[in-house]
Amino acid sequence: MVEIPGGEIVLRDEGTRTEWKVGVGPFRLDSCPVTRELYDAVVSRMPEVHGMTEVPEGSGVSASGAGPRAPVTEVSWRDAIRFCNLLSRVEGLAPCYSVGDDPDGSDVVCDWRAGGYRLPSEAEWEYACRAGTPGVRYGELDEIGWYRANSDGGAHDVATRAPNAWGLYDMIGNVWEWCWDVYDPAVYGPYRVFRGGGWNDHPRGCRASCRRKSHPTLRVDDLGFRLARTV
């Protein structure tokens, strides 16, 4: 995982044309999205893990038939939360999440002080994606990301495009990535944020500031996740 220094980020919602500043403490972020290989290997160990009562779903199969080093897709926000807890237990770390039965995820509580794996917050995600750069992307899109014009209709192996200045790959393009945050509870209820753009998106969707959202049970073929840990 990459050590990300603390700082500040200004988030912007283009729909409401509002901006807000968020302080970000130091944290760790995986250099790549979770791969099908890692996801399947960890989930297969579930019977050996004490206290894991619900297995994450998602086949990890992309529409293009991508291989084991491609990002896992067709995993919901709830699947990603459960996977974080499972991997934490496999590695002997304190899980971050308490998870209930509500499909909306309203009963999921995050202990930000725990040492285990978690999803990044939306502010952490964009702060890490930008890596100190002010532009809409940290490089030329064809060089840093897989998107509609160059993906040939599917996800690609991770770390096959150029990284940003902090050594993070696929922050733009390849697959969208779930974040912890609720998008706008007053308007969209339990919908959670995802970021980064995917292999089927036009350039407008592949920008550091682009925000999208869906229900915590959504599973689609261009949406995965990346692991974070609190320092």
Side-chain angles (χ1 to χ4, degrees), residues 21-177:
K21 183 181 292 186
V22 182
V24 176
F27 67 104
R28 299 182 179 97
L29 190 66
D30 208 334
S31 62
C32 302
V34 171
T35 62
R36 293 174 56 197
E37 180 178 58
L38 175 61
Y39 191 90
D40 292 343
V42 172
V43 171
S44 71
R45 295 188 58 175
M46 181 267 167
E48 304 172 19
V49 182
H50 176 71
M52 188 67 183
T53 59
E54 195 171 1
V55 185
E57 296 185 19
S59 65
V61 178
S62 74
S64 67
R69 289 290 297 162
V72 68
T73 57
E74 299 184 47
V75 288
S76 69
W77 182 87
R78 287 174 57 84
D79 292 333
I81 290 294
R82 296 186 201 110
F83 179 86
C84 288
N85 275 0
L86 179 54
L87 181 58
S88 297
R89 290 188 174 101
V90 166
E91 296 193 2
L93 302 172
C96 292
Y97 298 114
S98 299
V99 183
D101 298 323
D102 182 4
D104 289 342
S106 62
D107 54 2
V108 177
V109 177
C110 181
D111 180 358
W112 296 88
R113 300 168 299 174
Y117 295 98
R118 58 176 176 81
L119 296 179
S121 70
E122 181 179 16
E124 287 175 332
W125 189 95
E126 184 172 336
Y127 177 73
C129 176
R130 290 187 176 279
T133 61
V136 297
R137 303 179 192 93
Y138 51 84
E140 294 296 325
L141 183 53
D142 279 303
E143 297 177 2
I144 65 173
W146 298 108
Y147 67 112
R148 180 173 291 201
N150 68 3
S151 68
D152 197 28
H156 287 251
D157 286 0
V158 299
T160 50
R161 302 275 91 179
N164 70 8
W166 290 346
L168 301 170
Y169 295 87
D170 300 295
M171 295 294 288
I172 298 292
N174 214 3
V175 295
W176 293 88
E177 299 177 10

